Every structure is written in structure tokens, then in C-alpha cells.
Amino acid sequence: MRHIVLTVLSLSFISFSSGPIHAAEYAVDPAHSSALFRVHHLDASYVYGMMPEVEGTITFDPSSADGNKAQITVKTETLSTFNERRDNHLKSPDFFNTKQFPTITYTSKSWKKVDDHTFEVSGDITLLGVTKPLTATVKYTGTGKNQRGQELVGFETTFVLDRTQFGMTYGVAETGGLGKEATVTLAVEAIRQ
Amino acid sequence: MDFVSPVIVPAVIAGFAWLISFRLWNRKAAAPYGHWGGVAALALGYLSAQVLLISWPPWPAASALHWLFYLTIVAGVIALGGHAWDARWWVRAPIESGLLVAFAWSQLRPLVKHTWAAWESTAWLAGLVLFGMAACECVEGLARRRPGVSLPWVLWCTASTAALCLVLTGSALLGQLAGAVAGVLGAAVVLAYWGPTLSLAHGAILLFVLIIHSLLWQGVFYSQLPLTAALLVALAPFAGWVGESTRVRSWALWRLAGLRMACVLAPLLIAVWLAYRFFVEAGVNDYSY
């Protein structure tokens, strides 16, 4: 009888622990995360740039979107388009104004699960001190482990930003200017805390 | 790219403000208290340029340029009020000082909050406020003594040079805004040739100093304008006093004008040379826009 009770208790413990996985906390790994952007140049080609320093926190459960959250900060001072003179211009008040606005931030408000590897994330992005809503399709790119045995999770998203909505109007023209829309790709790897 | 209309539109707006206040039909009448059109021209001209170039700024203001926009409105209203009431110096001085403190704080706020130590912030804020007060007093004195074309010309040279230096050292936007101020003063130069009583006294000088200094300091702290170049541009209007010395007052008019022109242009040309040297050293050909 005692054995039967213990077996029932053990089985019920196992069934509880193998229930729904609760959202885990992750810290963005700046060494393996970056933001890339491209802008149409003088109606001709695209110019690419990157901001390689990304920080933030993510609360993530792959099975459910309910408790998921993300707070991402991109350091604008790290901007590079692989041309120092252009980088200095992009950091000036004409564009990113990096000394006055050293960061771009994104805070999610709601996550919606589309399929096992896709979420639709809505939130607010703040650029140049102006906050606007932004909804992006975020790919959950996988999980892994680093050399220290820490659990990793990866995401990637690509979205289009109309820079003029944030007051970054320099160089925009009907023809012959710089594109007013920037395509941004954000790739994030985060370490479980 | 439309680089011209943000300068032309403010100049046209300013021209109308000048014409209405100046009253062409009465252009030779003395105006001991200046023309309110000077305040209106500078304020409306600058504000229209910023709206054309960037858009109406958000409230609460986030950047130094946003603050410059809203404080220009405040300064314009105060300057017009002071003009209408002919405020005495003991009323004017504390208000001007308060405005200068607000402008300096709004321009340096990100550095004060995130970058500088307390002593550094205090030193820069105090320095910019004192320099602004000195500029206001000095140029206002000239405006009261010398109505007519000479002072608008000096200020036009100063604003144009500020624009050129800002463009050469990394910020076309700040340069265009300074260019808009030059456009406003260009309209004043044209009208002052026609009507020698045109005066910038009692209000317009305060606005000129606040706007041009703010743009120059933004160039220094947030772009790449060398501090020496900014100081030379800001100091240039002080040289207008050279023509007021008793030693040269008896000189022939053309000689006096030549001396004044040389004294004003010398620091401005050095500033342009410094900015151009920076432009060349940064590499002219490897990046254009």
C-alpha cells in the first residue's frame, strides 16, 4: 500500500513538472547581437550600415506568447557604414544625433504566436526622443548552449522604419535624395539568467 | 535636394515683417526704439526654416533643436513685449539673463546629464551665459547707436559664415538653419539701403544672439565645428565697435566703412579657413552625402 501511494505521488510530481514551460529570463548578449540597416541612396543602390552594440532583456516561452516580453537598446554611437566620414555625418544632428540620443529603444507590449517559430510582436520604438508604435514579425531562430553551458536563444526580425516620422528628415527628396524608409534587421542572441 | 527654399522662405517672411513694421511710406522717420519687425522677422524666419527643414518639433521637446524652436517662440514674445513697453534695463537685464540661462541649459542638457562632471557643466553653462550677455549688450549698443545698413550687414556676414562653417564641419542641417538666419538678415540689408532709419535695436539683437549662439554651440558639442572657429564667428559682431572709437570717428566714411569691414571680416575669414581645413583633412572626395 505504501509503495502504491509513493508511486502515485511520484507520478503526479512528474506530470506537474512536465507541464507547460514557464517563460524564462534572458539577457541580450551584445557580442552576438547586432542591428543592420539599409537606405536607398540617390535612387540608385542601397547603402548598408550597422549598430553592433545591442543590449536588453527578454522574457520568453516558446510554447506560449502570453508572458513574453522584450526590452532592447541599440547604442547609436557604435554606428558604422564602413566609411568614417559618412559615419561622422550620420552621427551628427542631421541624422542620428548620437551625442544627444545615444540609444534607440524598443519595448514590447504584446506578443502573438503565429507558428512554432514566428511571433508577431507589438511595442514602442523610441528614436531621436520620439516614440512610435511598431509591430514586427519576429523569427525565433533557435536555442543552443555556449561553452559555459549557458542556455541561448536567438531571434531575428526585419522591419521598415519611416525615419521622417521621428524627425530625421535630412536628405529626403522626391527624387535624388536619400530614402525616407530604412529597412532594419535586428538579430539578437540572449543568455538565460 | 531642396537646399534653397528653407533659406528663401524665411527671407520672404522676414521681408514682409520688415516692410509692415518699417512702413515704406515713412521710411526716413527716425525709430529711436527700433522696429518690432526685427523681432518678428528673426523669430518667424527661424521658426519657418525649422518647420520646413525638420517639421514641427514634438512636445515635450527632446533635442536641443526642439528646445531652440520653443524657446525662440518664448524669446520672440518677450522681446516683442519688451519692445512694446520699452522695458527699462533693470527689467530687461534679468529677463535676458533668464532666457540666456534657459537657452544654454537646453542646448547642453544631454552633456550635463550624461557626460560632464558637475564642475564642467557649471563652467560651460556660466561661460556661455556670460558670453551671451556680453554679446547682447555689445551688439545692442551698436544697434542703438547705428541704425541703417552697417549692423544688418555685420550680422548677415556673421550668420552666413556660421552657416558655411557648420556645413563644412559636418552638419548641413545646422548650416541651413544658420543660412535661414542669414536670409532674414539679407532682407534687412536690402531694406536698410532703402531706408537708413531701419533699426535692429530693442529686441532683435537678443533673438539673433540666442539663435546663432545656440546653432554654433550645437555645432561644437554635437557635430564637429572647432571651438576656435565658433568663438571667432560669435566674436565677429563685437568688432563693429571699432568704427566707434573717437580716433577714427573723424575718418572719411569710405575709410571708416573699410576699417569696420576689415575688422569684422578678419575673424570670420579665419573661422572659414579653420572649418575648410577640417573639411579637407576629413577627406573631401571619399564621401559626398
mmCIF file of all heavy atoms in Angstrom, chain B residues 167-201:
data_model
loop_
_atom_site.group_PDB
_atom_site.id
_atom_site.type_symbol
_atom_site.label_atom_id
_atom_site.label_comp_id
_atom_site.label_asym_id
_atom_site.label_seq_id
_atom_site.Cartn_x
_atom_site.Cartn_y
_atom_site.Cartn_z
ATOM 1 N N VAL B 167 28.273 73.827 -42.226
ATOM 2 C CA VAL B 167 28.170 72.877 -43.344
ATOM 3 C C VAL B 167 29.509 72.172 -43.557
ATOM 4 O O VAL B 167 29.559 70.956 -43.747
ATOM 5 C CB VAL B 167 27.718 73.600 -44.637
ATOM 6 C CG1 VAL B 167 27.862 72.697 -45.848
ATOM 7 C CG2 VAL B 167 26.261 74.051 -44.510
ATOM 8 N N LEU B 168 30.596 72.944 -43.491
ATOM 9 C CA LEU B 168 31.922 72.351 -43.746
ATOM 10 C C LEU B 168 32.347 71.378 -42.655
ATOM 11 O O LEU B 168 33.198 70.524 -42.886
ATOM 12 C CB LEU B 168 32.972 73.467 -43.865
ATOM 13 C CG LEU B 168 32.940 74.300 -45.148
ATOM 14 C CD1 LEU B 168 33.909 75.475 -45.041
ATOM 15 C CD2 LEU B 168 33.302 73.444 -46.357
ATOM 16 N N THR B 169 31.785 71.511 -41.469
ATOM 17 C CA THR B 169 32.264 70.677 -40.365
ATOM 18 C C THR B 169 31.242 69.626 -39.932
ATOM 19 O O THR B 169 31.215 69.205 -38.788
ATOM 20 C CB THR B 169 32.648 71.546 -39.149
ATOM 21 O OG1 THR B 169 31.529 72.365 -38.807
ATOM 22 C CG2 THR B 169 33.840 72.408 -39.457
ATOM 23 N N GLY B 170 30.396 69.224 -40.852
ATOM 24 C CA GLY B 170 29.644 68.000 -40.589
ATOM 25 C C GLY B 170 28.157 68.101 -40.391
ATOM 26 O O GLY B 170 27.498 67.081 -40.301
ATOM 27 N N SER B 171 27.571 69.296 -40.331
ATOM 28 C CA SER B 171 26.119 69.326 -40.185
ATOM 29 C C SER B 171 25.481 70.298 -41.159
ATOM 30 O O SER B 171 25.452 71.510 -40.918
ATOM 31 C CB SER B 171 25.708 69.680 -38.764
ATOM 32 O OG SER B 171 24.287 69.698 -38.719
ATOM 33 N N ALA B 172 24.969 69.762 -42.245
ATOM 34 C CA ALA B 172 24.277 70.591 -43.232
ATOM 35 C C ALA B 172 22.996 71.171 -42.637
ATOM 36 O O ALA B 172 22.601 72.286 -42.976
ATOM 37 C CB ALA B 172 23.963 69.766 -44.466
ATOM 38 N N LEU B 173 22.363 70.413 -41.738
ATOM 39 C CA LEU B 173 21.107 70.870 -41.145
ATOM 40 C C LEU B 173 21.316 72.145 -40.324
ATOM 41 O O LEU B 173 20.613 73.147 -40.500
ATOM 42 C CB LEU B 173 20.513 69.767 -40.266
ATOM 43 C CG LEU B 173 19.242 70.104 -39.513
ATOM 44 C CD1 LEU B 173 18.096 70.383 -40.462
ATOM 45 C CD2 LEU B 173 18.860 68.970 -38.572
ATOM 46 N N LEU B 174 22.303 72.115 -39.427
ATOM 47 C CA LEU B 174 22.593 73.310 -38.619
ATOM 48 C C LEU B 174 23.016 74.453 -39.532
ATOM 49 O O LEU B 174 22.659 75.616 -39.312
ATOM 50 C CB LEU B 174 23.688 73.003 -37.593
ATOM 51 C CG LEU B 174 23.344 71.966 -36.517
ATOM 52 C CD1 LEU B 174 24.546 71.708 -35.612
ATOM 53 C CD2 LEU B 174 22.163 72.422 -35.678
ATOM 54 N N GLY B 175 23.776 74.108 -40.581
ATOM 55 C CA GLY B 175 24.215 75.123 -41.537
ATOM 56 C C GLY B 175 23.037 75.770 -42.248
ATOM 57 O O GLY B 175 23.002 76.987 -42.430
ATOM 58 N N GLN B 176 22.066 74.966 -42.651
ATOM 59 C CA GLN B 176 20.892 75.526 -43.330
ATOM 60 C C GLN B 176 20.097 76.427 -42.394
ATOM 61 O O GLN B 176 19.558 77.444 -42.817
ATOM 62 C CB GLN B 176 20.005 74.397 -43.849
ATOM 63 C CG GLN B 176 20.523 73.797 -45.155
ATOM 64 C CD GLN B 176 19.665 72.638 -45.599
ATOM 65 O OE1 GLN B 176 19.651 71.609 -44.955
ATOM 66 N NE2 GLN B 176 18.950 72.809 -46.681
ATOM 67 N N LEU B 177 20.009 76.037 -41.127
ATOM 68 C CA LEU B 177 19.273 76.876 -40.170
ATOM 69 C C LEU B 177 19.976 78.221 -39.975
ATOM 70 O O LEU B 177 19.327 79.272 -39.923
ATOM 71 C CB LEU B 177 19.117 76.138 -38.838
ATOM 72 C CG LEU B 177 18.150 74.949 -38.878
ATOM 73 C CD1 LEU B 177 18.267 74.106 -37.610
ATOM 74 C CD2 LEU B 177 16.710 75.417 -39.058
ATOM 75 N N ALA B 178 21.316 78.168 -39.893
ATOM 76 C CA ALA B 178 22.059 79.439 -39.801
ATOM 77 C C ALA B 178 21.896 80.212 -41.112
ATOM 78 O O ALA B 178 21.807 81.454 -41.101
ATOM 79 C CB ALA B 178 23.531 79.163 -39.518
ATOM 80 N N GLY B 179 21.823 79.491 -42.232
ATOM 81 C CA GLY B 179 21.598 80.131 -43.529
ATOM 82 C C GLY B 179 20.251 80.838 -43.575
ATOM 83 O O GLY B 179 20.118 81.897 -44.192
ATOM 84 N N ALA B 180 19.261 80.262 -42.905
ATOM 85 C CA ALA B 180 17.939 80.900 -42.857
ATOM 86 C C ALA B 180 18.025 82.232 -42.100
ATOM 87 O O ALA B 180 17.409 83.224 -42.498
ATOM 88 C CB ALA B 180 16.939 79.973 -42.184
ATOM 89 N N VAL B 181 18.814 82.241 -41.009
ATOM 90 C CA VAL B 181 19.003 83.499 -40.265
ATOM 91 C C VAL B 181 19.708 84.517 -41.161
ATOM 92 O O VAL B 181 19.356 85.711 -41.173
ATOM 93 C CB VAL B 181 19.820 83.246 -38.967
ATOM 94 C CG1 VAL B 181 20.078 84.549 -38.224
ATOM 95 C CG2 VAL B 181 19.081 82.271 -38.061
ATOM 96 N N ALA B 182 20.677 84.030 -41.953
ATOM 97 C CA ALA B 182 21.363 84.926 -42.899
ATOM 98 C C ALA B 182 20.363 85.476 -43.921
ATOM 99 O O ALA B 182 20.433 86.657 -44.295
ATOM 100 C CB ALA B 182 22.503 84.182 -43.601
ATOM 101 N N GLY B 183 19.430 84.627 -44.366
ATOM 102 C CA GLY B 183 18.405 85.080 -45.311
ATOM 103 C C GLY B 183 17.562 86.202 -44.723
ATOM 104 O O GLY B 183 17.277 87.206 -45.384
ATOM 105 N N VAL B 184 17.184 86.042 -43.451
ATOM 106 C CA VAL B 184 16.389 87.066 -42.757
ATOM 107 C C VAL B 184 17.167 88.388 -42.699
ATOM 108 O O VAL B 184 16.625 89.463 -42.974
ATOM 109 C CB VAL B 184 16.043 86.585 -41.327
ATOM 110 C CG1 VAL B 184 15.462 87.711 -40.490
ATOM 111 C CG2 VAL B 184 15.080 85.409 -41.388
ATOM 112 N N LEU B 185 18.455 88.281 -42.368
ATOM 113 C CA LEU B 185 19.264 89.498 -42.250
ATOM 114 C C LEU B 185 19.578 90.079 -43.623
ATOM 115 O O LEU B 185 19.760 91.294 -43.767
ATOM 116 C CB LEU B 185 20.539 89.194 -41.470
ATOM 117 C CG LEU B 185 20.249 88.915 -39.989
ATOM 118 C CD1 LEU B 185 21.380 88.157 -39.343
ATOM 119 C CD2 LEU B 185 19.986 90.219 -39.243
ATOM 120 N N GLY B 186 19.632 89.204 -44.640
ATOM 121 C CA GLY B 186 19.821 89.690 -46.013
ATOM 122 C C GLY B 186 18.683 90.611 -46.406
ATOM 123 O O GLY B 186 18.898 91.667 -47.020
ATOM 124 N N ALA B 187 17.466 90.222 -46.014
ATOM 125 C CA ALA B 187 16.307 91.077 -46.296
ATOM 126 C C ALA B 187 16.469 92.426 -45.583
ATOM 127 O O ALA B 187 16.143 93.484 -46.144
ATOM 128 C CB ALA B 187 15.025 90.385 -45.826
ATOM 129 N N ALA B 188 17.008 92.383 -44.354
ATOM 130 C CA ALA B 188 17.216 93.634 -43.601
ATOM 131 C C ALA B 188 18.262 94.508 -44.283
ATOM 132 O O ALA B 188 18.118 95.741 -44.335
ATOM 133 C CB ALA B 188 17.651 93.318 -42.170
ATOM 134 N N VAL B 189 19.311 93.883 -44.825
ATOM 135 C CA VAL B 189 20.367 94.656 -45.509
ATOM 136 C C VAL B 189 19.771 95.392 -46.707
ATOM 137 O O VAL B 189 19.995 96.599 -46.898
ATOM 138 C CB VAL B 189 21.526 93.725 -45.961
ATOM 139 C CG1 VAL B 189 22.501 94.465 -46.867
ATOM 140 C CG2 VAL B 189 22.271 93.171 -44.755
ATOM 141 N N VAL B 190 18.977 94.649 -47.512
ATOM 142 C CA VAL B 190 18.374 95.253 -48.713
ATOM 143 C C VAL B 190 17.481 96.433 -48.319
ATOM 144 O O VAL B 190 17.575 97.526 -48.893
ATOM 145 C CB VAL B 190 17.569 94.183 -49.495
ATOM 146 C CG1 VAL B 190 16.779 94.821 -50.627
ATOM 147 C CG2 VAL B 190 18.512 93.112 -50.031
ATOM 148 N N LEU B 191 16.638 96.215 -47.307
ATOM 149 C CA LEU B 191 15.712 97.280 -46.903
ATOM 150 C C LEU B 191 16.437 98.456 -46.249
ATOM 151 O O LEU B 191 16.012 99.604 -46.381
ATOM 152 C CB LEU B 191 14.653 96.715 -45.942
ATOM 153 C CG LEU B 191 13.611 95.830 -46.624
ATOM 154 C CD1 LEU B 191 12.758 95.126 -45.597
ATOM 155 C CD2 LEU B 191 12.728 96.665 -47.548
ATOM 156 N N ALA B 192 17.541 98.162 -45.552
ATOM 157 C CA ALA B 192 18.268 99.236 -44.879
ATOM 158 C C ALA B 192 18.965 100.159 -45.883
ATOM 159 O O ALA B 192 19.180 101.345 -45.605
ATOM 160 C CB ALA B 192 19.278 98.656 -43.901
ATOM 161 N N TYR B 193 19.315 99.626 -47.070
ATOM 162 C CA TYR B 193 19.875 100.504 -48.103
ATOM 163 C C TYR B 193 18.830 101.522 -48.542
ATOM 164 O O TYR B 193 19.133 102.656 -48.875
ATOM 165 C CB TYR B 193 20.309 99.663 -49.314
ATOM 166 C CG TYR B 193 21.750 99.208 -49.207
ATOM 167 C CD1 TYR B 193 22.061 97.862 -49.043
ATOM 168 C CD2 TYR B 193 22.793 100.139 -49.255
ATOM 169 C CE1 TYR B 193 23.369 97.444 -48.927
ATOM 170 C CE2 TYR B 193 24.105 99.724 -49.140
ATOM 171 C CZ TYR B 193 24.389 98.387 -48.976
ATOM 172 O OH TYR B 193 25.679 97.985 -48.854
ATOM 173 N N TRP B 194 17.596 101.077 -48.525
ATOM 174 C CA TRP B 194 16.482 101.908 -48.967
ATOM 175 C C TRP B 194 16.079 102.908 -47.871
ATOM 176 O O TRP B 194 15.871 104.091 -48.138
ATOM 177 C CB TRP B 194 15.302 100.983 -49.301
ATOM 178 C CG TRP B 194 14.279 101.585 -50.169
ATOM 179 C CD1 TRP B 194 14.185 102.882 -50.593
ATOM 180 C CD2 TRP B 194 13.187 100.887 -50.739
ATOM 181 N NE1 TRP B 194 13.105 103.038 -51.398
ATOM 182 C CE2 TRP B 194 12.465 101.817 -51.505
ATOM 183 C CE3 TRP B 194 12.738 99.570 -50.682
ATOM 184 C CZ2 TRP B 194 11.320 101.480 -52.200
ATOM 185 C CZ3 TRP B 194 11.596 99.245 -51.379
ATOM 186 C CH2 TRP B 194 10.905 100.184 -52.132
ATOM 187 N N GLY B 195 15.998 102.381 -46.668
ATOM 188 C CA GLY B 195 15.556 103.245 -45.570
ATOM 189 C C GLY B 195 16.600 103.275 -44.479
ATOM 190 O O GLY B 195 16.722 102.326 -43.704
ATOM 191 N N PRO B 196 17.374 104.338 -44.385
ATOM 192 C CA PRO B 196 18.519 104.369 -43.461
ATOM 193 C C PRO B 196 18.133 104.406 -41.984
ATOM 194 O O PRO B 196 19.011 104.357 -41.129
ATOM 195 C CB PRO B 196 19.253 105.649 -43.870
ATOM 196 C CG PRO B 196 18.253 106.482 -44.576
ATOM 197 C CD PRO B 196 17.256 105.560 -45.186
ATOM 198 N N THR B 197 16.846 104.485 -41.664
ATOM 199 C CA THR B 197 16.477 104.515 -40.238
ATOM 200 C C THR B 197 16.178 103.118 -39.691
ATOM 201 O O THR B 197 15.874 102.975 -38.511
ATOM 202 C CB THR B 197 15.227 105.383 -40.013
ATOM 203 O OG1 THR B 197 14.148 104.827 -40.768
ATOM 204 C CG2 THR B 197 15.471 106.818 -40.428
ATOM 205 N N LEU B 198 16.255 102.111 -40.553
ATOM 206 C CA LEU B 198 15.940 100.753 -40.091
ATOM 207 C C LEU B 198 16.844 100.374 -38.912
ATOM 208 O O LEU B 198 18.058 100.533 -38.979
ATOM 209 C CB LEU B 198 16.138 99.761 -41.242
ATOM 210 C CG LEU B 198 15.740 98.330 -40.923
ATOM 211 C CD1 LEU B 198 14.979 97.729 -42.097
ATOM 212 C CD2 LEU B 198 16.947 97.474 -40.612
ATOM 213 N N SER B 199 16.230 99.911 -37.854
ATOM 214 C CA SER B 199 16.996 99.631 -36.640
ATOM 215 C C SER B 199 16.679 98.236 -36.090
ATOM 216 O O SER B 199 15.529 97.809 -36.095
ATOM 217 C CB SER B 199 16.665 100.685 -35.578
ATOM 218 O OG SER B 199 17.209 100.294 -34.347
ATOM 219 N N LEU B 200 17.735 97.574 -35.626
ATOM 220 C CA LEU B 200 17.563 96.248 -35.015
ATOM 221 C C LEU B 200 17.497 96.327 -33.490
ATOM 222 O O LEU B 200 17.471 95.298 -32.812
ATOM 223 C CB LEU B 200 18.726 95.341 -35.406
ATOM 224 C CG LEU B 200 18.818 94.925 -36.886
ATOM 225 C CD1 LEU B 200 20.140 94.240 -37.151
ATOM 226 C CD2 LEU B 200 17.674 94.007 -37.246
ATOM 227 N N ALA B 201 17.504 97.546 -32.971
ATOM 228 C CA ALA B 201 17.558 97.708 -31.509
ATOM 229 C C ALA B 201 16.264 97.250 -30.848
ATOM 230 O O ALA B 201 15.243 97.067 -31.513
ATOM 231 C CB ALA B 201 17.822 99.174 -31.169
#
